[in-house]
Amino acid sequence: ITGKITVETTAGSVLSAGNFILIGAPAVNSFSPASGTTGVEVAIAGTNFVNVNEVKFNNTTVLAADYTIVSATQIKAKVPAGAASGKISVSTPAGTGSSANNFIVFPPPTITSLSPSIGPVGRVVSVAGTNFDGATKVFFGTTEAVFDVKSATSIEATVPVGAVTGKLKVITPGGEATSAADFIVKEAPTITSFTPLSGNVGAVITINGSNFDAGGVVVKFGTGTATEVTVVNATQITAKVPATATTGKITVETAAGSVLSATNFTLIGIPTVTTFTPASGGVGLEVTITGTNFITVSAVKFN
């Protein structure tokens, strides 16, 4: 224990004038902050921080250059690379002391993909990655977004008003991650007109509107999907009426969304002849022919 040093011989004994100070094993009483990532400086409070030879975060040793003995009751140490959540310990020749509580290590997040990677304001985007626990902010470019952390590997974020094309960023207590590719802010397409308003299978229809350049373009005539579509530019598409077309709205779908035409496209089917009258007659006689789809008739033949 702390006290005088006594020396005894056969001739007698003597006490030292001053006390010998016994330095006990170190003790870790607290630390601040309670969590962090690699490189964060942590203030460790305790006792007997004398001749410290090792500081560890859950058995991961702090390099000598990364901790400072402020006093016998305080150490400042940086969280070492590879550390995991666990006790903080301090060792001296007199022993080792460990914290009662765990220091929580937040590894830095990563972003692996965005789905979809294009869309309008209000679109919900699934962000896949790692270490999203405790995420505090998500940005589309420089605009902060509303988000929901689904798991450590998944976040759903809504494209905010004012967002422009740019990187997506996730901020967590462990740091920040930025997407490799841009999220493209693109509004859904619009249809202003189409010509002609009717046609048969194989007819080429010109569709006018906006935002046709978002990629992944699909055109439907009623319930039939066109197999031949050409994006002329952001404001015009041409599409050939497919054999599966029906009378109805024209739909244009892109990666940014979809739109229906305000009016119907009328499918002109193959004409049929059901009856004619009279059944016989000479040259110049007028014959009444009844049937279906007698639209844009280009020829009538007798044999």
Side-chain angles (χ1 to χ4, degrees), residues 92-280:
T92 72
T96 298
S98 296
S99 61
N101 299 322
N102 288 339
F103 177 83
I104 306 302
V105 177
F106 289 102
T110 65
I111 296 174
T112 55
S113 66
L114 308 176
S115 179
S117 59
I118 183 173
V121 170
R123 172 67 57 83
V124 176
V125 179
S126 294
V127 185
T130 61
N131 304 318
F132 290 156
D133 299 286
T136 55
K137 291 184 179 181
V138 174
F139 289 89
F140 285 79
T142 58
T143 307
E144 190 170 350
V146 174
F147 67 95
D148 183 19
V149 178
K150 294 298 183 180
S151 70
T153 59
S154 177
I155 287 176
E156 288 187 352
T158 302
V159 182
V161 174
V164 296
T165 296
K167 308 297 185 187
L168 187 143
K169 183 188 297 182
V170 174
I171 297 176
T172 75
E176 63 180 52
T178 301
S179 61
D182 286 347
F183 178 85
I184 300 171
V185 179
K186 190 76 172 178
E187 294 304 308
T190 66
I191 296 174
T192 56
S193 64
F194 59 88
T195 56
L197 301 179
S198 60
N200 53 12
V201 172
V204 175
I205 308 302
T206 298
I207 305 167
N208 301 303
S210 65
N211 299 319
F212 295 153
D213 57 346
V217 175
V218 174
V219 176
K220 294 180 180 179
F221 291 85
T223 58
T225 302
T227 57
E228 296 184 45
V229 177
T230 301
V231 179
V232 179
N233 52 46
T235 62
Q236 191 173 85
I237 293 172
T238 61
K240 187 174 288 188
V241 179
T244 54
T246 58
T247 293
K249 308 292 187 185
I250 293 178
T251 303
V252 174
E253 299 176 354
T254 73
S258 64
V259 63
L260 288 173
S261 61
T263 57
N264 286 343
F265 169 81
T266 301
L267 177 67
I268 302 172
I270 298 172
T272 63
V273 176
T274 55
T275 62
F276 54 88
T277 178
S280 60

